[in-house]
Amino acid sequence: MRDDYAKNRRVAEAFYEHTRQAVTESGLPVLEVTDAQQRGSTFGARLANAVADAFAAGYDRVIAVGNDCPTLHEVDWTAITERLDDGRPVLGPTSGHAGTYLIGLSRDQFEHEAFAALPWQAPALFSALHRHLADASGAAPVRLAVRDDVNAPAELHALVRRGRSGGLAARLRRVLGHTHHTSDSSSRRTTRPVLERRSRAPPYSSVPGR
């Protein structure tokens, strides 16, 4: 069990470092919000507080991303900031359009209590968030390309096999060793604590706009 926990932690660290590299290369200021720094009794409250803290720090636009999108390094950050400068919120839908890997919004489009109350852990999140930001901005949010996120062992092993992740797959192979060739039951034991779905929205990093 101790070895499994250590491996789970290394998987999580590989995703986190991949995300950190992607947002650092954006050239934008970066605020990292880890589990230990989050405040609130629900996911919605924690995310709303993180976004509010970025605005309180003096930023006028915030791009929130999570650490479970393996192709985040392919995002066009310049195009996103241009849309935010135009007053348009931005959403990056995940496969199936149930959740989002990226949320971009301006200070005047953020209402703390309404944002926190959205159905963050439900399949209706993307449509509810889209309506919320459209109402707040007076314009439909810009939709980015659909991207996969990783929330289950099968998705993790598919990512390792495909290798389309800017170096993340190679890191995961080193962490997992031969576990991605094992049976499904073994894979679940070694990966589920890290990859169990907590939300359908970005949980960790905030990338403030200019």
Side-chain angles (χ1 to χ4, degrees), residues 124-142:
L125 172 63
F126 188 86
S127 58
L129 183 56
H130 190 279
R131 289 193 301 271
H132 171 76
L133 290 177
D135 290 343
S137 66
V142 175

Side-chain angles (χ1 to χ4, degrees), residues 30-197:
V30 176
L31 300 179
E32 296 183 31
V33 184
T34 65
D35 281 338
Q37 295 168 314
Q38 292 176 9
R39 308 185 323 278
S41 59
T42 66
F43 179 87
R46 290 190 290 272
L47 181 57
N49 285 334
V51 173
D53 288 346
F55 287 131
Y59 296 101
D60 292 322
R61 289 165 291 280
V62 168
I63 305 167
V65 300
N67 67 351
D68 58 357
C69 177
T71 58
L72 191 66
H73 61 287
E74 298 176 0
V75 166
D76 186 342
W77 302 102
T78 299
I80 293 171
T81 57
E82 287 175 350
R83 298 289 80 74
L84 292 174
D85 288 345
D86 292 339
R88 297 281 300 278
V90 179
L91 289 175
T94 56
S95 299
H97 293 79
T100 178
Y101 61 88
L102 182 150
I103 303 170
L105 72 167
S106 300
R107 182 190 297 272
D108 59 0
Q109 297 162 2
F110 178 69
E111 200 287 308
H112 191 287
E113 291 187 6
F115 189 83
L118 289 168
W120 293 104
Q121 295 178 297
L125 172 63
F126 188 86
S127 58
L129 183 56
H130 190 279
R131 289 193 301 271
H132 171 76
L133 290 177
D135 290 343
S137 66
V142 175
R143 295 194 185 199
L144 304 179
V146 175
R147 297 186 182 278
D148 293 335
D149 56 355
V150 176
N151 299 289
E155 294 168 351
L156 174 66
H157 298 311
L159 167 65
V160 171
R161 288 193 299 271
R162 288 195 307 268
R164 177 176 166 265
S165 56
L168 175 60
R171 297 178 199 172
L172 291 172
R173 287 191 196 99
R174 291 194 294 270
V175 170
L176 296 173
H178 296 291
T179 59
H180 59 285
H181 296 302
T182 61
S183 67
D184 288 343
S185 60
S186 175
S187 298
R188 284 193 294 270
R189 285 197 302 272
T190 58
T191 60
R192 186 171 296 278
V194 169
L195 297 172
E196 185 174 354
R197 180 180 289 280

